[in-house]
Amino acid sequence: MIAFAALLAAQSGQAAAAPAPPPAASDPVAGDWREIPGDELLVMTLADGRTVVIRLAARFAPEHVANIRALARAGWWDGESVYRVQENWVAQWGDPTEKKPLPPGIVPSPVPEFEIAAFEPAQRLARPDAYSAASGITADGWPIATDGRAAWLTHCYGSVGVARDALPNTGSGAELFTPIGQSARRLDRNYTVVGRIVEGMQHLSSLRRSDAAMGMYATAGERTPIVSVALASDLPDTDRPRFEVRTADNPRFAAYLAQRANPEAPTVAVGVNVCDLPPQVRRRP
Amino acid sequence: MIAFAALLAAQSGQAAAAPAPPPAASDPVAGDWREIPGDELLVMTLADGRTVVIRLAARFAPEHVANIRALARAGWWDGESVYRVQENWVAQWGDPTEKKPLPPGIVPSPVPEFEIAAFEPAQRLARPDAYSAASGITADGWPIATDGRAAWLTHCYGSVGVARDALPNTGSGAELFTPIGQSARRLDRNYTVVGRIVEGMQHLSSLRRSDAAMGMYATAGERTPIVSVALASDLPDTDRPRFEVRTADNPRFAAYLAQRANPEAPTVAVGVNVCDLPPQVRRRP
């Protein structure tokens, strides 16, 4: 990744001039891509038109995702802000005062959805990690882990979690956060994971850090305004982004994982952490 | 960390009014802090006076650190830039043209220092991780790992590595990088780790990401100028920052690790990854 030779070759067009290599065992085929439903995509538009697209874990955190859909449809986040950016920890958005009334139909304190029904990865990683006996990727692309009994979605870079007060059942989904540095696995099973950022993460990760307590911006002027948050399915056809996820229940994905865990020489390091795998998501071609 | 109750208590001064709690078993005592030699601290001043302080791993990568000291003393980086910022990967600095002559006394291609002599942590973490059979923290605060045979410094968030060309022995230390997202453990044993950022990481992690190939800024104007890079020991007394590292070979550090790995209820997640431990470094009081 840091080799200049490869970069120069790419820039000089050598790769384009060479005959196309045969597909690798780890290359997805067309049928491996599945469209993500429009009501499982949250489009957050920041000041200056930058957009962040979040895939919602509707299957794993249905109560919180129901709240999030209702909040989006009510335009609840429009005019709010990214108000907390803490170095090597999280960016957080919503209403910094926590006083804005929630729209009708919201369950203010849903039961926490810290854990999921079962550990059923399509691909199980070969090694344990520091936080779980096993981890893997579900057929529909979610990183999950288990201690042998319970299972849960992991707090990776770009995962979206529900901020809350000290009591576990105090997060409605109105205040959301994403880890912007080293993964935040120590939040696993203690915060509800509701999604993952699949486009535009750089607009949150590059925000100015705050030196104030917990990375809350000390003044309103430091916050990044949110213009709107809407479900993709509620946007006009012309504005609606369409995304596909690469399914993991196939031998191509298994080969991709094997390649990540055992790179070609001269790389010596072996292994892959479930959080090191970026979301396998693309705009629909 | 995300509890608003704790934040509000801190802001309202309730904590200050309460009697001081007794020291915890994980609190360091004065003797646990050891001054870092001034020639093991690299002070990089960016445009607008922001500074980044890097602790050099002189004991583990002596050949590359010798080069880096000579480069700093020659003022080689002064006027150069942070020229690559790739989302969820690295920020990299030095001379983007790779054509600036190196000063006399530099070994242009030192032998790679990918591995270290032995795995001798003062504190060994309880669990393996995805990339190593064991990991831990040395008595002088460095994160290290082993596969049971070789040992190495790990590529954590904020570690500083030597960028290079495709061949392993092509990095002089003039081009340096730091992981700015999820840890970059897959670079372990394949790139020489020469240090870790101990102050000012936020000035690199919050830089605008480049969409160009490998995160190289497409134009010179996007780069962040480097005003100067100097060893702390070469700065005038009045400007010289002095830092201390918390030593790990004592029961207070063991208690700190145990607390990180097994937080108090209601936290359920257990475990700690060697890269999740921030550098235990402070300005000398």
Side-chain angles (χ1 to χ4, degrees), chain B residues 89-174:
Chain B
W89 192 232
V90 297
Q92 186 169 321
W93 60 95
D95 165 33
T97 71
E98 288 198 292
K99 289 180 181 165
K100 182 173 180 175
L102 297 173
I106 300 290
V107 180
S109 300
V111 172
E113 295 171 298
F114 299 162
E115 295 176 351
I116 62 177
F119 181 69
E120 289 174 359
Q123 303 294 336
R124 183 186 174 109
L125 300 194
R127 297 186 182 196
D129 65 37
Y131 294 93
S132 43
S135 61
I137 305 291
T138 66
D140 56 349
W142 292 99
I144 60 174
T146 183
D147 63 357
R149 291 173 299 184
W152 59 89
L153 267 69
T154 52
H155 283 80
C156 299
Y157 181 91
S159 293
V160 175
V162 174
R164 60 173 173 82
D165 208 333
L167 291 175
N169 66 337
T170 49
S172 67

Side-chain angles (χ1 to χ4, degrees), chain B residues 228-255:
Chain B
S228 66
V229 176
L231 290 167
S233 49
D234 290 341
L235 293 173
D237 253 2
T238 47
D239 295 344
R240 184 183 306 169
R242 298 178 72 174
F243 282 85
E244 296 177 332
V245 62
R246 178 179 177 181
T247 53
D249 53 350
N250 56 71
R252 278 83 57 197
F253 201 97

Side-chain angles (χ1 to χ4, degrees), chain B residues 162-203:
Chain B
V162 174
R164 60 173 173 82
D165 208 333
L167 291 175
N169 66 337
T170 49
S172 67
E175 313 302 317
L176 297 172
F177 69 86
T178 188
I180 57 169
Q182 186 73 25
S183 60
R185 295 287 305 276
R186 61 194 164 100
L187 301 182
D188 283 6
R189 311 175 68 184
N190 205 14
Y191 287 79
T192 297
V193 174
V194 290
R196 196 162 189 194
I197 294 173
V198 295
E199 189 178 277
M201 177 65 186
Q202 69 275 22
H203 305 314

Side-chain angles (χ1 to χ4, degrees), chain A:
Chain A
M1 297 294 283
I2 299 180
F4 278 88
L7 171 70
L8 294 171
Q11 284 180 337
S12 67
Q14 289 175 20
S26 58
D27 288 344
V29 299
D32 291 347
W33 295 97
R34 182 190 306 163
E35 184 162 3
I36 299 173
D39 65 351
E40 294 181 6
L41 290 170
L42 202 61
V43 181
M44 175 161 71
T45 304
L46 302 175
D48 302 329
R50 292 163 291 165
T51 60
V52 178
V53 181
I54 299 163
R55 183 187 184 199
L56 296 172
R59 188 158 71 86
F60 297 115
E63 302 296 325
H64 288 81
V65 168
N67 268 2
I68 288 168
R69 285 173 172 151
L71 287 160
R73 287 180 170 138
W76 190 84
W77 284 291
D78 303 2
E80 296 299 332
S81 66
V82 184
Y83 56 79
R84 175 187 183 198
V85 183
Q86 187 169 7
E87 168 57 16
N88 195 11
W89 194 232
V90 298
Q92 185 168 321
W93 61 94
D95 164 33
T97 71
E98 288 197 291
K99 289 181 179 164
K100 183 174 180 175
L102 297 174
I106 299 290
V107 180
S109 299
V111 173
E113 294 171 298
F114 299 162
E115 295 176 350
I116 61 177
F119 181 68
E120 289 174 359
Q123 303 294 338
R124 183 186 173 111
L125 299 195
R127 297 186 184 196
D129 64 37
Y131 294 93
S132 43
S135 61
I137 305 291
T138 65
D140 56 349
W142 293 98
I144 61 174
T146 184
D147 63 357
R149 291 173 297 183
W152 59 89
L153 267 70
T154 51
H155 283 80
C156 299
Y157 181 91
S159 294
V160 175
V162 174
R164 61 174 173 81
D165 209 332
L167 292 175
N169 66 337
T170 49
S172 67
E175 313 302 317
L176 297 172
F177 69 87
T178 188
I180 57 169
Q182 186 72 27
S183 60
R185 295 288 304 276
R186 62 193 162 99
L187 301 182
D188 282 5
R189 310 174 69 183
N190 205 13
Y191 286 79
T192 297
V193 174
V194 291
R196 195 161 188 195
I197 293 172
V198 295
E199 191 178 276
M201 177 64 185
Q202 69 273 23
H203 304 314
L204 296 174
S205 62
S206 65
L207 291 175
R208 200 181 60 75
R209 275 54 173 169
S210 169
D211 293 331
M214 294 178 64
M216 302 284 178
Y217 287 126
T219 60
E222 297 172 88
R223 299 174 190 149
T224 299
I226 295 171
V227 176
S228 65
V229 176
L231 291 166
S233 50
D234 291 341
L235 293 173
D237 253 1
T238 47
D239 295 344
R240 185 184 305 171
R242 298 178 71 175
F243 282 85
E244 296 177 333
V245 62
R246 179 180 177 180
T247 53
D249 53 350
N250 56 71
R252 278 85 56 196
F253 201 97
Y256 158 72
L257 275 185
Q259 186 200 25
R260 285 290 296 239
N262 300 283
E264 290 173 24
T267 296
V268 183
V270 292
V272 62
N273 180 295
V274 71
C275 279
D276 289 342
L277 298 166
Q280 300 286 300
V281 169
R282 66 176 186 186
R283 290 237 171 198
R284 190 178 168 95

